[in-house]
Amino acid sequence: MASSDASAAAPNVFRHRDFRLYQLARLCAVLAVQIESVAIGWQIYELTGSALALGYTGLAQFLPFFAFSLIGGQVADRVDRRTILAVCQGVMLLCSLLLLTFSLGHVRDVRFVYGVLVLFGTARAFYSPAGSAITPYLVPTEELSRAIAVNSTTWQVATIAGPAVGGLLGGWAGATGAYIGSAALCALSVVWILSLKVRTGRASSESFSISTLLAGLRFVRRQRLLLGSITLDLFAVLLGGAVALLPIYARDVLHTGAWGLGLLRSAPAVGAALVAVVIAVRPLGGRAGWKMFVSVAIFGAATLVFGVSRSLPLSILALAVAGAADMVSVVVRSTLELMATPDEMRGRVGAVNMMCVGASNELGEFRAGAFAEHVGVVPAVVAGAVGTLVVVALWAWAFPELRRVDHLEDAARQPLPGDAGPEAVGTTS
């Protein structure tokens, strides 16, 4: 663990060298993914004109991510996490170069893109658990909630800038320019990761088996706070997510171009980044569980407004509000996960969390695309938003202990509901 600076009246997590380098690596990596996403979405819709084809981009990433996430969590607990991050980022660089080849070769068969996305989803299945589990090694425990907020801020800043940069590169040099930029950023991310001095070693000494593979699932199932927060996000975003349909909204509903799509893709991250900065400076404080439920309800309501909007400024505002609300849920869920999970389990529990996040995002994109193909894009978004509001009401009733969470730090230090018997894994690290 990084050492704390006791003389600092207000601890600044950026004083830790490895944490700074990790943020640079994350910034480059997420920028690369966002630039690619804009180029892929616009290119596929131009080639096919199909909402379902856009939905398949999410499915192509979700299936390998879902298939390998638990294995990725097991690997993250048994192999140095810095090494995992470097290898996976190298594979993502390869994906960018393959997409560049697709563009330079003027290939019109979108199955090539889907194949690259399958490879990308596989790499992310190993990258995500290792990335979430390495943060506690970069800062002191008492600064972890701030570090999580900074992690989210970095991600959101990249998600704001990435689509805008992707739109500019696409307008200037087409998809080729976007893929060149993405490849360059992936290469920089590899450099920053290899510059980290931290070595996490082997956190778990358990031998590989089906039992240890599924340990993360059993742990989350026993912990009602984790189970409730993870599944709330899973079903709310699975139903309410509309990212895959933004190219259709941009061209056919809001009648804008690639630059407008870039603004729409950036809007949720603008709202989320503002909230993340506020939380990094001023943590959530009391009634965190109740704030989480309210924020997810706001996410659903804002998505509903976006679904019926015919105005580009209103649509951007609605997406920004949705992103801001979603960030509260992200911080609550991530803080509970890291502070309430022992180090030897963080990779596997992180894999369960990321598997659910992947399901909500990528599988949600496929759901949105498939639904829009049959009922239309606007009904698909509106129905999903209403479904999110229903999920909030059901989860608030089914998980009263999550609703009653006050301060996150206090909740994470206590044995979580569901702990029982010697078989249960400890809840503090």
Side-chain angles (χ1 to χ4, degrees), residues 64-395:
F65 187 77
F66 182 82
F68 293 110
S69 280
L70 293 180
I71 298 175
Q74 176 84 313
V75 172
D77 286 335
R78 294 168 58 84
V79 178
D80 186 271
R81 290 155 186 170
R82 170 185 170 273
T83 302
I84 298 172
L85 295 178
V87 171
C88 291
Q89 193 60 57
V91 174
M92 294 177 189
L93 170 59
L94 174 63
C95 291
S96 294
L97 294 175
L98 289 173
L99 289 170
L100 177 59
T101 302
F102 169 80
S103 182
L104 289 173
H106 303 288
V107 179
R108 299 187 61 84
D109 188 347
V110 296
R111 289 177 296 181
F112 180 90
V113 177
Y114 296 146
V116 173
L117 291 177
V118 168
L119 179 60
F120 176 81
T122 302
R124 196 161 65 88
F126 291 86
Y127 185 98
S128 296
S132 66
I134 201 173
T135 303
Y137 285 87
L138 307 178
V139 298
T141 301
E142 62 270 17
E143 297 178 28
L144 188 56
S145 62
R146 283 188 172 88
I148 291 170
V150 171
N151 278 346
S152 298
T153 303
T154 301
W155 191 89
Q156 298 298 346
V157 166
T159 307
I160 294 166
V165 173
L168 290 174
L169 289 174
W172 170 62
T176 298
Y179 296 141
I180 290 174
S182 174
L185 287 165
C186 283
L188 282 174
S189 182
V190 173
V191 171
W192 294 127
I193 291 173
L194 291 176
S195 299
L196 295 176
K197 292 182 179 179
V198 66
R199 296 294 187 274
T200 65
R202 180 173 179 166
S204 174
S205 59
E206 297 175 285
S207 60
F208 185 88
S209 66
I210 296 298
S211 177
T212 57
L213 185 68
L214 300 178
L217 285 171
R218 292 197 302 271
F219 183 86
V220 171
R221 186 188 63 192
R222 285 195 300 266
Q223 317 302 337
R224 293 275 297 172
L225 295 184
L226 294 183
L227 180 64
S229 60
I230 290 174
T231 55
L232 173 64
D233 181 84
L234 165 63
F235 289 104
V237 179
L238 176 65
L239 295 173
V243 173
L245 302 179
L246 291 183
I248 303 176
Y249 263 87
R251 194 182 80 172
D252 299 340
V253 178
L254 301 172
H255 307 292
T256 183
W259 66 272
L261 173 60
L263 291 176
L264 292 171
R265 286 293 300 259
S266 297
V270 171
L274 291 174
V275 170
V277 168
V278 171
I279 294 175
V281 175
R282 187 182 180 88
L284 280 174
R287 306 190 71 189
W290 176 251
K291 290 173 183 176
M292 180 183 187
F293 280 107
V294 171
S295 68
V296 178
I298 292 173
F299 168 82
T303 302
L304 181 61
V305 171
F306 167 76
V308 300
S309 171
R310 296 296 183 275
S311 163
L312 181 60
L314 178 59
S315 297
I316 291 173
L317 177 61
L319 289 174
V321 171
D326 186 53
M327 176 49 56
V328 177
S329 173
V330 169
V331 170
V332 173
R333 185 182 73 248
S334 299
T335 303
L336 285 174
E337 175 198 333
L338 287 179
M339 296 189 74
T341 305
D343 182 55
E344 66 272 14
M345 286 291 298
R346 280 187 177 132
R348 282 166 286 179
V349 172
V352 174
N353 180 37
M354 296 311 301
M355 189 168 62
C356 291
V357 170
S360 63
N361 290 329
E362 280 79 29
L363 190 58
E365 290 182 13
F366 176 68
R367 178 211 61 81
F371 199 23
E373 185 80 4
H374 293 92
V375 303
V377 62
V378 173
V381 173
V382 170
V386 172
T388 295
L389 296 173
V390 172
V391 165
V392 173
L394 289 175
W395 260 244

